[in-house]
Amino acid sequence: KNILLYLSLFLSLLSCNKPVTGKSGEEGIKVEEIVWDGVKRADITYQLLVYSFADGDGDLYGDFKGLKDRLDYIDALGASAIWLSPIHPSEAYHGYGVIDYERVNEKFGTEKDFKDFLDAAHARGIKVYLDFVLNHSATDCEWFKQACAGNPEYKDFYIFSENPKSDISAGKIPTIASEGAAGYNASEWRAARIAGVSENLKFTLDWNSTPPSLKVEKVSDISNTGTKPSGKYLWWGEGNCTEFYSQTPGVYTLSLAFKSDWGCLVRTSNTSWDNGTKYGAPSGSNILEWGVPLPLSNSDNADISLPGAQFFHSHFRTDAFADFNFGAAAESEKSGAFKALAKAADKWIALGVDGFRLDAVKHIYHNMNGTENAIFLKKFYDHCNASYKASGREDDIYMVGEVFEEANIAAPYYAGLPALFEFSFWFRLQWALNNGVGRYFYKDINSYHTAYKAVREGAKAATKLSNHDEDRAGSSLGKSLEKEKLAAAVLLTMEGSPYIYQGEELGYYGTKERGDEWVR
């Protein structure tokens, strides 16, 4: 009720065309500037991207020294915490493909530079939260390399399957099991360089069938008969392009000592590489069976994988990421991946960080509407909170999860975490400001908080306008200074712990139309 009363008064003030008056007949009340007394009351967190915020050594790339030099600026904004984009080594500029969870990216400086920044932030009463990626690592991560090399210590860190569609339908992959067959998406699987195939093989290409087909058999004799040129080629291994032998019209064979960690393709040219000359497997059926013809396609032509080649799953549909395998949620803390990530988190807690922002938590177990993610997250939070208290701190560790969804989908995740980003806040506020209709806003937001507290007493909504994955608030509000000011006022007076995204305090514009970099 107090919030509603305050907002009503605030909106009334904005709409006044003359001075606010007191009792009837009195002069207009003089409105004086309020000077901040320096006490941080709003629980504001400033989100910044290390690589683009401040350069401290002149190489035109953001770093820890630059952050330390700008702490007085952040302090003057009234921020009581900073959320840093991933600080770990990564081939991706944004850092979300982590190579090593226990090191800092050398582009940002040394671990000592980070500790100097951390200590300087704490001296100003500013906490520091690290972005932590639990869903996946980079394929350049040593854990993934060891898993692909067959190291038994790491082989279960990731999701491997020779036949994802079949294994998902049979419930053999715990992170996708609760979705059943609907959890299979061919575009989310990539051939992993693991095991591979090293065999004496005979390939039979039947160009008379519709569509053409390829049959592969294990053989002891790799001698070849028939005639060349045939105009048909097998592309395989490390850049090998070997011509088939013609047998009867439309039938071609090739026997060889085959070794490939990705598979093969059929080509009708050894000089042209466009799609018209490339024949592969239709997506989702690219693992052939020994001795069984596999239909080929020259439009939907994925790499042909042989039995024994394994696959890794990546929800984010890129070869650069590999999803972790935590096993069944109820026992996820026993998995190797959980233990390794918890160990890494412990290192940063011991160093002095105050909390974590957890990336993409709705994708850890793929049924985002199920209970598995909340069960997993509670285990991870409880572990980190115990480590935090063991380090000598009396409060609870801060941990906020990213569930990029409406509030009704995010609410159940409070069973696992004390704080979640409230994307619905910005969705509703943006609509209200751009349509000039405010009467629904408070009722909507209040209903979200009621839902949160039904799951967790003391649930903390991390309110925000835009962030690094969205168009800039200034652009979304039509570059209207009046709307931007009102958005900021509502953000900083509504219930919740507000986040300010770097540059938002300056009214930055930018859209994702040409890529994420334009909002980062």
Side-chain angles (χ1 to χ4, degrees):
K1 290 181 180 178
N2 290 338
I3 293 171
L4 181 58
L5 186 63
Y6 183 90
L7 280 178
S8 298
L9 173 61
F10 181 76
L11 295 173
S12 298
L13 287 170
L14 286 180
S15 64
C16 285
N17 294 317
K18 57 185 178 180
V20 179
T21 59
K23 295 180 180 178
S24 178
E26 290 184 350
E27 292 184 357
I29 298 172
K30 183 180 180 181
V31 179
E32 297 181 356
E33 180 184 0
I34 299 174
V35 179
W36 179 44
D37 61 6
V39 179
K40 299 175 182 179
R41 301 177 177 86
D43 197 20
I44 297 169
T45 299
Y46 191 80
Q47 177 196 356
L48 63 83
L49 311 175
V50 180
Y51 52 85
S52 66
F53 185 72
D55 170 29
D57 60 11
D59 65 356
L60 305 183
Y61 203 90
D63 51 42
F64 300 133
K65 290 181 179 179
L67 297 189
K68 182 182 175 183
D69 292 344
R70 299 333 190 265
L71 278 171
D72 286 342
Y73 171 76
I74 297 173
D75 190 38
L77 292 176
S80 55
I82 297 172
W83 156 26
L84 302 179
S85 62
I87 66 169
H88 310 299
S90 175
E91 290 298 321
Y93 80 90
H94 48 67
Y96 286 99
V98 178
I99 293 175
D100 189 332
Y101 284 83
E102 295 192 40
R103 289 174 44 225
V104 299
N105 190 330
E106 292 180 356
K107 290 182 179 180
F108 302 156
T110 65
E111 189 172 305
K112 182 182 182 302
D113 293 331
F114 173 71
K115 186 65 165 70
D116 289 345
F117 156 74
L118 183 64
D119 291 343
H122 286 167
R124 292 165 173 79
I126 299 174
K127 295 183 176 182
V128 175
Y129 308 143
L130 298 188
D131 208 317
F132 211 65
V133 185
L134 289 174
N135 173 259
H136 58 270
S137 78
T139 52
D140 288 330
C141 178
E142 189 62 26
W143 299 342
F144 186 73
K145 291 179 179 179
Q146 290 294 321
C148 290
N151 186 329
E153 182 180 349
Y154 297 95
K155 67 182 182 65
D156 291 329
F157 271 41
Y158 299 90
I159 304 169
F160 293 109
S161 172
E162 286 190 85
N163 193 326
K165 186 174 184 179
S166 174
D167 286 347
I168 291 171
S169 296
K172 294 181 179 179
I173 302 178
T175 53
I176 312 173
S178 66
E179 290 181 288
Y184 176 70
N185 184 334
S187 67
E188 294 175 355
W189 289 85
R190 295 291 186 272
R193 295 180 178 273
I194 179 172
V197 174
S198 181
E199 300 273 2
N200 291 338
L201 301 178
K202 178 181 179 181
F203 295 80
T204 301
L205 178 62
D206 186 350
W207 214 252
N208 295 321
S209 63
T210 306
S213 65
L214 181 69
K215 181 174 70 173
V216 186
E217 303 165 282
K218 294 182 181 182
V219 294
S220 55
D221 180 11
I222 58 172
S223 61
N224 288 285
T225 60
T227 60
K228 288 185 178 181
S230 65
K232 304 293 186 290
Y233 302 87
L234 186 75
W235 179 259
W236 58 284
E238 298 300 317
N240 299 304
C241 188
T242 307
E243 190 171 17
F244 280 90
Y245 291 82
S246 295
Q247 301 299 327
T248 58
V251 177
Y252 311 90
T253 62
L254 176 64
S255 296
L256 47 76
F258 182 88
K259 184 175 183 179
S260 176
D261 55 9
W262 64 270
C264 63
L265 290 166
V266 171
R267 297 278 192 175
T268 57
S269 170
N270 63 351
T271 57
S272 173
W273 305 105
D274 62 34
N275 256 359
T277 67
K278 170 184 170 183
Y279 287 77
S283 293
S285 59
N286 51 327
I287 303 177
L288 55 74
E289 298 178 54
W290 298 123
V292 178
L294 176 72
L296 301 177
S297 170
N298 72 338
S299 56
D300 183 17
N301 40 22
D303 293 344
I304 302 167
S305 294
L306 308 181
Q310 295 193 20
F311 282 55
F312 71 86
H313 179 273
S314 172
H315 183 88
F316 292 94
R317 303 183 184 184
T318 168
D319 288 341
F321 296 164
D323 280 6
F324 286 121
N325 172 32
F326 297 109
E331 297 184 335
S332 53
E333 75 279 10
K334 298 178 182 178
S335 68
F338 185 103
K339 292 175 181 177
L341 289 163
K343 176 177 176 288
D346 287 347
K347 172 190 172 167
W348 301 111
I349 292 170
L351 197 67
V353 302
D354 305 282
F356 299 97
R357 177 264 187 187
L358 303 183
D359 179 62
V361 296
K362 72 175 184 178
H363 296 306
I364 297 170
Y365 288 82
H366 289 226
N367 184 356
M368 68 179 182
N369 293 309
T371 60
E372 295 158 305
N373 283 315
I375 292 170
F376 170 87
L377 292 167
K378 183 178 187 306
K379 291 177 181 292
F380 190 76
Y381 174 79
D382 287 347
H383 171 92
C384 291
N385 198 37
S387 299
Y388 184 81
K389 290 183 179 297
S391 71
R393 284 171 276 193
E394 296 181 358
D395 58 334
D396 289 327
I397 194 170
Y398 180 80
M399 195 173 285
V400 60
E402 180 207 21
V403 183
F404 204 150
E405 292 288 345
E406 289 282 7
N408 64 308
I409 295 177
Y413 285 72
Y414 276 109
L417 294 174
L420 296 168
F421 285 104
E422 189 174 60
F423 288 91
S424 290
F425 174 89
W426 176 227
F427 298 158
R428 300 294 90 76
L429 180 57
Q430 184 181 164
W431 184 90
L433 293 172
N434 284 332
N435 289 278
V437 179
R439 61 181 173 270
Y440 307 115
F441 179 73
Y442 176 76
K443 180 181 178 182
D444 287 342
I445 300 302
N446 194 46
S447 70
Y448 304 151
H449 286 256
T450 300
Y452 305 155
K453 290 168 184 174
V455 179
R456 187 188 198 102
E457 187 63 35
K460 297 178 181 179
T463 50
K464 49 167 277 303
L465 303 182
S466 61
N467 70 12
H468 64 293
D469 285 325
E470 301 172 280
D471 290 348
R472 284 278 186 174
S475 292
S476 297
L477 297 175
K479 301 183 179 180
S480 164
L481 181 60
E482 291 77 12
K483 290 180 182 178
E484 290 179 57
K485 286 184 174 182
L486 186 50
V490 175
L491 173 69
L492 296 173
T493 54
M494 285 295 289
E495 182 178 2
S497 299
Y499 277 68
I500 297 172
Y501 177 38
Q502 70 175 48
E504 208 163 50
E505 73 276 17
L506 303 175
Y508 271 19
Y509 307 138
T511 69
K512 290 159 58 74
E513 184 178 358
R514 287 188 287 172
D516 288 337
E517 293 88 340
W518 293 86
V519 301
R520 298 176 179 178

